[in-house]
Amino acid sequence: MLVVLGVLVVVAGAVLLLAGRIPWLGRLPGDFVLRRGPVTVYFPLVTSIVVSILLTILVNLFWRR
């Protein structure tokens, strides 16, 4: 179980490193950015939905085999 958790952490780290290189990620219509003086709040609503749908499809493809 620890090995699986370790692999998941490594995969999550790799995804975070590569996420900045995907140009549309985080800039979709429906992603909110609120700027009030020195404070910026970023809420990627549509990006979260798209990533969730893609991960659901991938997990379903691998678990059905």
Side-chain angles (χ1 to χ4, degrees), residues 28-62:
L28 294 174
D31 292 343
F32 301 103
V33 179
L34 301 172
R35 292 185 181 99
R36 304 279 176 159
V39 177
T40 301
V41 177
Y42 178 69
F43 188 67
L45 181 65
V46 175
T47 299
S48 299
I49 293 170
V50 169
V51 169
S52 176
I53 290 170
L54 291 175
L55 287 176
T56 301
I57 291 170
L58 286 174
V59 167
N60 281 328
L61 287 175
F62 287 115

